[in-house]
Every structure is written in structure tokens, then in C-alpha cells.
Amino acid sequence: MVDKPKGKTEILVDKFFDWCNKGRRTTKKKTSMQRRQVRIFKRRHPRIARTALVAACTLAVGLVVVGFATPKTVTVNIDDSVEVTSTTYETTSMRVDSFIENHEIDYVYGQDIIDVELYKGITDGLEINIKKAVQIPVNSDGVTQTANTLPVTTEELLNKLNITVGENDIVEPAMDKTLYKGDKVVVKRVTFGEVVEEVDVDYATRNVPDYSMTIGKTAVVQQGTIGKERQTYNVTYIDGVESERELINSETLVEKKDSITSYGMYMNFSAPAGLQYKEKISNVRAVSYHFSGNPKGSYGKPCTYGTVAVDPNVIPLGSLLYIEGYGYAIANDTGSSIKGNVVDVYMEDIRQCNKWGARTVNVYVIN
């Protein structure tokens, strides 16, 4: 805010009387002889003297008015920290403060910096440089405040606002960065704590081979049970919200027990004594396979151990079979690659598939 300038009339009057007083003091000293002659002339010719005085004053006022009313060129450069905007004005203002007010120049007293005195007289070709204060939002401790400041570093602004930064706190942008228009300062408070939790510990499932069990079969040897642990963590918080944790201690409260499943690896290539069958198919190529999930075969049964895929032109779907080395099975599925004396035998574990591979066996059609 600047003081309201004097009106043009007041300025002209002040200028005129200043000029008159200055001239009077100067000439009084140098023209004492002439002034005595003038006094004599005024006493002898008073009318002519008054007329001459009025004419002289009128001429002086006219010269002052003409001189002050002539427009002057003024250039204003405004630096908002991002760019400098230059504007040229034609003005009849007499002082810088009245020029700023009359032309509505973007200048805020007490915040912005101007490189000329506000009460300086305007001269033709005058250049005025204004550095604008910038508004920087500062967020700290859940509160956002906006600071009006000239370009400063983050650290300088935080000190100005009496915001203390801890050794572990996070400040964005960096403390040594100079802030400009559009920047924002964020202070994130970092604290640490210790958390103790009791958690369940899941058991693992282990598969072990059993060479006394027929290949293709599996059996659960031990049921798994969940354990329990007391875990202690170092926790890092940012503005009160957990950001990361580090396990520093673990204490077992209840031991977990793994689930153990055995899978058969024994292959018996002889038919059971007294096996009753309707047909024996020799030299059948038996290929092992395994599917994850729970697929169903063409016959409608799930694909599990004891189901096989066949060529229905050789072995009808639904037939009960005995396959040497594999055991009893049901013809449950078909396949485009299964033609003639070929069967695919399902295994419960991929390691059983690797053990069996593909081999030639006898297949007995029981029913």
C-alpha cells in the first residue's frame, strides 16, 4: 500500500513557491543594488510595477505546468521467480508511489522488493524493477500454512516459520533447494516403535515315496496342524502411519506339524491269483499322465488314481480293468492321441509319472 499522491494543483503550487523562494534567496544577495533601483521605480511608477510582476508570475506558472504535464516513458520489470514480465507505460505521474497507484502496478508494500524510492520523482526513461514475493504452501504436523516470501531455500523458510525438523524426518523438497512459484514444502515426521504380535504359522505339506505301496496310490501319513509364534518387530511410522517393519525376534509358542503324504512307487507286473476277466489285451502301451485341479473324464468320473483313458473302439468306456503294474482301473476318458492298443494311466504325483514313464503291459478287461 502506498500513500495517496498529492493532486496536480497542490504539486504545482508547491513547486511554484519552492522555485520562488529559492530564486528570492539567490537574487536577494546578488541584486541588492538593482532591488534598490526597483524600489525607487515602484514608488515612482506603482502601476507599471504591478503589471510587470503579474506577467512574470503568469509566465513562470505556465512553464511549470507545461513541463509537468508532458508524458514520460517508464518501464516496469516484474520478476515472479518463474519469469520476468516487462511493460512500458506513458505517464504524467510525478512520483513513483503515485505512478504505481495510478497504473495499478502489481506491487505489495512490505512483501515485494522495489529498486527505487517510492517518493522519487518520475523521469523520462525511468526503469523500475520489482521482485515479487511467492506463496509457498508448507505442510507439517497435519497443518498446511501458506508463506509469502521471496525465493529462499527450504531450510530458510522452515526456520522463518519456526518449524523444527528432526534428524529422521523427511523433508520435500531438499533443505538446500531454492523455492520458486508453484513449489510446496512437506515435512513428514518419522518415528519408531516396537510391536509384538502372536501369529499363526502354517504347516508345510511334504510328499515322501513309499516303495511298498502300489504306484499311483497316495496316503496321508500325518495330518498337518498350525503352529503359533510370538513375533517382535521394529516399526517405522511416517506421520503416524506404519510404513515398514523389521522382524527382530521370533518365539515359538506352539510347534507346527507338517502334513506328510506318501506316494506309492511299487510296480507289480503279475496278475492277481484267480483273477476273473473277459478278455486279455497284450502288448498295450501304457503312458502315465497327471492333471492339476479336478478334471473329469468323458465317462463322467473325476480323473484320479484308478482311472485311465482308452480308445473306446478297443476298450469301451466304463470298463473295469486290471493293468499289470498299475492295478485296478476304470476306462474313464478318451483322447485324440489314444488310438488302438494304448492307454493313459493317471498318476497322483508327477514323480510317479517320471517313475512309470511309458511301458508295454497286459490289460485285463474284467467287466
Side-chain angles (χ1 to χ4, degrees):
M1 196 68 185
V2 297
D3 293 338
K4 184 177 180 181
K6 292 182 179 182
K8 290 185 178 180
T9 301
E10 294 176 289
I11 294 173
L12 291 174
V13 171
D14 288 345
K15 290 284 184 179
F16 173 72
F17 282 110
D18 286 345
W19 176 78
C20 290
N21 288 330
K22 184 177 180 181
R24 184 176 61 81
R25 288 191 297 270
T26 303
T27 57
K28 182 177 181 180
K29 188 183 220 183
K30 295 182 179 181
T31 60
S32 57
M33 180 79 66
Q34 290 84 349
R35 285 187 293 108
R36 192 166 76 173
Q37 293 176 353
V38 169
R39 286 196 295 272
I40 295 172
F41 179 82
K42 286 172 64 178
R43 284 196 298 270
R44 294 176 179 177
H45 308 283
R47 194 169 192 180
I48 296 174
R50 284 195 299 272
T51 301
L53 178 62
V54 171
C57 291
T58 301
L59 177 62
V61 170
L63 291 174
V64 169
V65 171
V66 170
F68 289 149
T70 302
K72 302 175 184 63
T73 300
V74 178
T75 301
V76 179
N77 304 312
I78 298 180
D79 182 357
D80 68 355
S81 84
V82 175
E83 62 179 355
V84 177
T85 303
S86 298
T87 308
T88 300
Y89 299 86
E90 294 290 329
T91 184
T92 57
S93 299
M94 301 304 302
R95 299 191 313 184
V96 172
D97 55 356
S98 59
F99 165 76
I100 289 175
E101 185 169 328
N102 293 338
H103 293 275
E104 299 181 348
I105 305 299
D106 184 14
Y107 169 73
V108 180
Y109 181 77
Q111 291 184 6
D112 303 336
I113 291 181
I114 189 169
D115 67 345
V116 296
E117 294 291 339
L118 291 177
Y119 302 109
K120 176 178 178 169
I122 296 293
T123 57
D124 190 39
L126 177 65
E127 185 169 341
I128 299 174
N129 297 295
I130 298 174
K131 185 178 287 291
K132 294 291 296 177
V134 293
Q135 292 187 332
I136 306 293
V138 180
N139 183 280
S140 175
D141 302 309
V143 177
T144 299
Q145 55 183 312
T146 300
N148 290 313
T149 179
L150 294 169
V152 293
T153 65
T154 302
E155 183 176 14
E156 290 169 339
L157 179 59
L158 293 177
N159 290 337
K160 178 180 177 181
L161 298 176
N162 296 320
I163 296 176
T164 303
V165 178
E167 179 182 356
N168 298 303
D169 292 341
I170 300 171
V171 180
E172 298 172 347
M175 295 288 274
D176 59 353
K177 181 185 183 301
T178 301
L179 301 171
Y180 298 102
K181 180 180 178 181
D183 285 340
K184 178 181 180 180
V185 176
V186 178
V187 178
K188 298 178 181 179
R189 302 300 185 184
V190 179
T191 55
F192 304 95
E194 189 174 281
V195 172
V196 179
E197 296 178 344
E198 290 188 3
V199 298
D200 290 336
V201 180
D202 203 3
Y203 58 84
T205 298
R206 294 190 288 122
N207 297 309
V208 296
D210 185 341
Y211 291 92
S212 66
M213 184 187 299
T214 302
I215 191 167
K217 290 184 178 180
T218 59
V220 177
V221 178
Q222 176 177 287
Q223 294 287 350
T225 57
I226 293 175
K228 190 175 286 293
E229 286 183 351
R230 180 182 289 117
Q231 297 177 344
T232 304
Y233 296 89
N234 275 338
V235 181
T236 301
Y237 300 92
I238 297 180
D239 286 340
V241 178
E242 181 178 333
S243 65
E244 62 178 313
R245 59 171 56 194
E246 177 187 6
L247 180 66
I248 58 174
N249 186 53
S250 179
E251 178 185 355
T252 300
L253 303 178
V254 178
E255 288 283 355
K256 67 181 179 67
K257 187 183 292 185
D258 289 343
S259 171
I260 301 176
T261 300
S262 62
Y263 55 92
M265 298 295 285
Y266 174 69
M267 292 183 288
N268 182 7
F269 290 97
S270 62
L275 178 65
Q276 300 293 318
Y277 58 91
K278 292 185 177 295
E279 181 183 0
K280 177 183 177 181
I281 305 174
S282 302
N283 299 320
V284 177
R285 180 174 172 80
V287 182
S288 61
Y289 77 106
H290 172 77
F291 282 127
S292 60
N294 298 295
K296 285 188 176 182
S298 302
Y299 188 63
K301 290 184 176 295
C303 294
T304 59
Y305 167 75
T307 63
V308 298
V310 300
D311 180 350
N313 294 319
V314 178
I315 301 175
L317 283 174
S319 297
L320 176 62
L321 311 173
Y322 183 85
I323 301 173
E324 289 178 347
Y326 183 77
Y328 291 98
I330 293 177
N332 182 52
D333 203 4
T334 62
S336 59
S337 62
I338 303 173
K339 300 296 182 184
N341 287 9
V342 177
V343 295
D344 281 0
V345 293
Y346 186 86
M347 298 291 181
E348 292 289 354
D349 191 279
I350 192 65
R351 283 161 289 196
Q352 294 172 328
C353 290
N354 296 335
K355 176 73 174 178
W356 179 277
R359 59 187 65 235
T360 301
V361 298
N362 295 320
V363 176
Y364 299 88
V365 180
I366 297 173
N367 185 11

